[in-house]
Amino acid sequence: MAKAVTNRNPFQLISLMVLATFFSIESAKSHPDESAANPNRLLVAVKKKAPAVRGPAKQIYELSQREEFSSCLNASGVAAYVASASGTNRGLLLRSVSSGFASSIGLQAGDVLLSVNSRVVQTGADADRILASCESGPARIVFVHPSDNGLQLYNGQFNLPKFSGAHAAPSNITFSSSGPNIVGGSASAKSKPSESMAAYESYMIELINHDRTANGSHPIQANAALSALARAHAKDMATRDFFNHVNPDGVDPQARAANAGIRGGTFENIAYQGGFESGYQQLQAAESIMMNEPKNQQNHRSNILDPDHASVGVGVMRASNGKLYVVQEFSHTSP
């Protein structure tokens, strides 16, 4: 139960220096279902004695280049993490703050919003969903503000208005691009009868072309043959419960393409996720994380941005156990 809000001291300010230590909060990765986290868990900072330094070291790092707008906050930002001596805390690094709720509680551009009622905020969608699910009244909000002397941690209670328009948040994503390194994960979300896999596939192609044009590559056309290839592999993984470029029969991506009558080679990205409700937000998170991979390497990012690609196909399938499988197939030709 939230404590009563005092008029004299709406929040508690704690100076957080270079060697500050964060306790009692865990990242979205540790708790993919943040609603299961202890609602009374708070973020505490302990200042340790340290030798004098020439200004603060960098403690805020971007996890994504995709800026998202939160209508509840009336602010936009990118996923980021705040580093300390004992670990990191993920949050939403604010890029712009307009007149609204965020500005009313003292948030500014450059601040990192960490949590609302102990629920981690990493994206604009997170902020909207979490705030919209809260009742009006007192809420515990934690954020950090950079200063010349380091970071200042704000951990206090603020009165919330009644928001509307909840959105689902992404997390707990596992990926693999064509190559020898295969990874796996777990899922707990249940399939929703109202979901449209075709709509998800179209949305992923929109995300791909958005990132291509933003990085100087021309947009590419959706291709029916590649989409059928991608959809078949996504369905196969969902049906037989495996996650690999090579299926249990030993057929690899190029062999699958050849068997489908596609010549000229393909470039494949695969991913799956579970644990959250909105497929659209899962797809957005998947694309964002792939695009945040290192430049000038053969990886998901390079597959997405390759200027020689002429076409793309996407397959998305929700398994009965809740996993959402995604396959991207790129080609230098138009099969």
Side-chain angles (χ1 to χ4, degrees):
M1 181 178 296
K3 298 179 181 178
V5 177
T6 61
N7 293 327
R8 295 184 57 190
N9 184 18
F11 55 78
Q12 177 183 6
L13 171 63
I14 305 174
S15 296
L16 178 63
M17 304 302 288
V18 175
L19 297 179
T21 304
F22 288 158
F23 296 96
S24 302
I25 190 168
E26 297 183 24
S27 69
K29 182 177 180 180
S30 299
H31 286 289
D33 182 5
E34 65 219 352
S35 63
N38 186 342
N40 296 316
R41 193 179 292 271
L42 301 177
L43 181 66
V44 179
V46 177
K47 184 169 67 175
K48 296 182 178 181
K49 293 182 179 180
V53 295
R54 295 183 179 179
K58 182 176 180 180
Q59 291 178 268
I60 299 175
Y61 299 85
E62 295 181 8
L63 289 172
S64 172
Q65 297 177 351
R66 182 181 297 279
E67 187 169 330
E68 289 189 14
F69 179 76
S70 164
S71 58
C72 291
L73 292 173
N74 202 20
S76 63
V78 299
Y81 70 90
V82 180
S84 68
S86 64
T88 62
N89 289 282
R90 297 194 177 204
L92 177 64
L93 173 59
L94 298 178
R95 290 299 192 199
S96 64
V97 179
S98 302
S99 177
F101 178 69
S103 63
S104 73
I105 65 172
L107 284 167
Q108 308 172 28
D111 292 349
V112 180
L113 175 60
L114 297 176
S115 65
V116 176
N117 284 342
S118 299
R119 300 167 70 183
V120 176
V121 178
Q122 279 192 256
T123 65
D126 281 349
D128 282 342
R129 177 178 52 82
I130 292 171
L131 288 170
S133 69
C134 293
E135 297 295 331
S136 59
R140 176 71 61 176
I141 298 178
V142 180
F143 62 94
V144 294
H145 171 72
S147 70
D148 292 339
N149 295 321
L151 298 179
Q152 294 177 322
L153 174 68
Y154 291 80
N155 179 353
Q157 294 185 83
F158 300 84
N159 273 322
L160 295 182
K162 181 56 182 174
F163 297 103
S164 62
H167 302 281
S171 188
N172 195 30
I173 300 168
T174 309
F175 304 99
S176 178
S177 57
S178 294
N181 297 321
I182 307 301
V183 294
S186 62
S188 60
K190 298 302 180 183
S191 178
K192 288 177 169 284
S194 60
E195 287 186 314
S196 168
M197 298 303 114
Y200 287 170
E201 291 166 3
S202 296
Y203 182 63
M204 176 56 83
I205 292 174
E206 290 180 13
L207 293 177
I208 289 169
N209 279 325
H210 173 274
D211 286 327
R212 285 180 62 86
T213 56
N215 288 273
S217 295
H218 61 84
I220 50 180
Q221 296 295 316
N223 180 272
L226 291 175
S227 292
L229 177 67
R231 195 174 299 119
H233 190 52
K235 182 178 180 180
D236 191 23
M237 290 192 292
T239 301
R240 294 202 276 179
D241 193 23
F242 73 95
F243 180 67
N244 205 318
H245 292 288
V246 181
N247 69 24
D249 301 322
V251 183
D252 64 21
Q254 301 310 317
R256 283 190 278 109
N259 291 341
I262 297 173
R263 300 293 182 265
T266 59
F267 301 78
E268 181 176 88
N269 289 341
I270 63 175
Y272 79 74
Q273 177 190 358
F276 292 88
E277 296 179 357
S278 169
Y280 289 105
Q281 293 300 325
Q282 291 170 356
L283 295 173
Q284 185 182 67
E287 182 74 4
S288 177
I289 292 175
M290 288 190 284
M291 285 299 301
N292 201 47
E293 291 178 347
K295 300 178 181 179
N296 303 318
Q297 295 184 17
Q298 181 57 47
N299 52 28
H300 303 96
R301 178 189 172 91
S302 66
N303 276 352
I304 293 168
L305 299 182
D306 189 335
D308 293 329
H309 287 335
S311 56
V312 62
V314 170
V316 178
M317 185 62 61
R318 178 80 73 183
S320 60
N321 62 7
K323 294 178 183 178
L324 184 69
Y325 288 87
V326 182
V327 179
Q328 299 174 340
E329 298 283 358
F330 300 92
S331 176
H332 289 177
T333 63
S334 296

